Amino acid sequence: GQQVMQIPQYQHVQEGEDFTTYCNSSTTLSNIQWYKQRPGGHPVFLIQLVKSGEVKKQKRLTFQFGEAKKNSSLHITATQTTDVGTYFCAEENTGFQKLVFGTGTRLLVSP
Amino acid sequence: DAGVIQSPRHEVTEMGQEVTLRCKPISGHDYLFWYRQTMMRGLELLIYFNNNVPIDDSGMPEDRFSAKMPNASFSTLKIQPSEPRDSAVYFCASSPLLSRDYGYTFGSGTRLTVV
């Protein structure tokens, strides 16, 4: 099925290091959402970006929507072990009330 | 609200058997989605409903899969007959008309193993 590409697939960092995951789409998006899934858990909504060039922050997490609305990024500053999990972007194309999830980036943080 | 409730949490069945997964969405949510998650294919949208009406079932793998939503508080996903390749975690999610502020709310999932 259709998928949004995310890079990297996997990243292992030391606690305190920064982390960034990127999401790329071939089409212009009406909005993009980000989710976190802990190991063994279910996806949990983090945030939605709607405007071109939009930047939103949640504590140590910074989310950005590209100017052309075709890409997005999630940056975590000074990772903690509680950040462990898989981060998904999910795109919603204009006119459709359905989300297509990206391939996900699995983050492992060592203490 | 108790959130999206799925049952069972785990299901182990033999190939060829019928499997029924159940979902109770959040009250007042207009949309209900069924996703399947595997290591190989990630999170795939199978089907979604708006106000109990199926809108898009293009993700349903084949005729062995069927989904219903007889009312606003209940949906089922049925696999008949089941096959080992159907083994996956099946998530149900719901959202209000405009998901922008709260996104989709997922249930805890049903881990299906077909042996």
Side-chain angles (χ1 to χ4, degrees):
Chain A
Q2 177 188 1
Q3 280 193 325
V4 177
M5 296 307 298
Q6 277 185 255
I7 54 172
Q9 279 188 300
Y10 171 81
Q11 188 152 8
H12 185 180
V13 300
Q14 293 294 121
E15 191 171 25
E17 293 180 337
D18 292 356
F19 160 77
T20 305
T21 174
Y22 301 90
C23 176
N24 295 293
S25 172
S26 57
T27 59
T28 302
L29 308 168
S30 59
N31 66 74
I32 196 155
Q33 299 183 10
W34 285 90
Y35 290 76
K36 177 184 178 181
Q37 184 176 22
R38 294 182 186 276
H42 56 276
V44 175
F45 175 73
L46 294 176
I47 209 159
Q48 174 165 284
L49 304 172
V50 179
K51 300 176 183 176
S52 168
E54 187 171 17
V55 178
K56 288 188 177 180
K57 293 189 176 184
Q58 288 180 349
K59 297 182 180 178
R60 296 177 294 103
L61 277 60
T62 302
F63 303 85
Q64 187 163 2
F65 205 3
E67 292 291 340
K69 300 183 73 173
K70 289 187 175 182
N71 57 73
S72 182
S73 65
L74 158 60
H75 178 82
I76 302 178
T77 303
T79 55
Q80 300 175 359
T81 54
T82 53
D83 296 325
V84 165
T86 301
Y87 292 85
F88 293 96
C89 63
E91 65 168 344
E92 182 181 68
N93 283 320
T94 303
F96 297 96
Q97 181 80 10
K98 68 176 186 178
L99 290 182
V100 175
F101 279 77
T103 48
T105 296
R106 184 181 167 204
L107 173 64
L108 182 62
V109 181
S110 295
Chain B
D1 201 315
V4 176
I5 300 173
Q6 290 187 247
S7 64
R9 287 297 306 274
H10 303 274
E11 177 81 37
V12 180
T13 190
E14 292 186 346
M15 182 173 63
Q17 296 298 305
E18 177 180 295
V19 176
T20 300
L21 311 181
R22 297 173 175 80
C23 175
K24 176 178 168 49
I26 291 175
S27 177
H29 280 192
D30 299 303
Y31 289 84
L32 183 140
F33 308 82
W34 282 100
Y35 283 86
R36 177 173 69 175
Q37 186 173 39
T38 61
M39 288 294 292
M40 291 299 295
R41 300 175 67 86
L43 268 166
E44 300 175 276
L45 176 64
L46 301 178
I47 185 171
Y48 79 98
F49 296 82
N50 177 22
N51 292 324
N52 314 337
V53 176
I55 302 301
D56 185 345
D57 65 354
S58 59
M60 295 286 261
E62 48 198 273
D63 292 345
R64 298 184 296 106
F65 285 69
S66 62
K68 294 182 180 179
M69 192 165 186
N71 57 63
S73 59
F74 184 65
S75 177
T76 60
L77 178 66
K78 186 176 294 186
I79 309 172
Q80 165 64 20
S82 58
E83 296 182 3
R85 60 188 167 135
D86 302 330
S87 297
V89 180
Y90 290 81
F91 288 105
C92 174
S94 69
S95 80
L97 175 61
L98 294 176
S99 67
R100 276 131 178 78
D101 294 329
Y102 304 104
Y104 289 17
T105 301
F106 281 76
S108 298
T110 295
R111 181 174 295 277
L112 173 65
T113 303
V114 183
V115 298

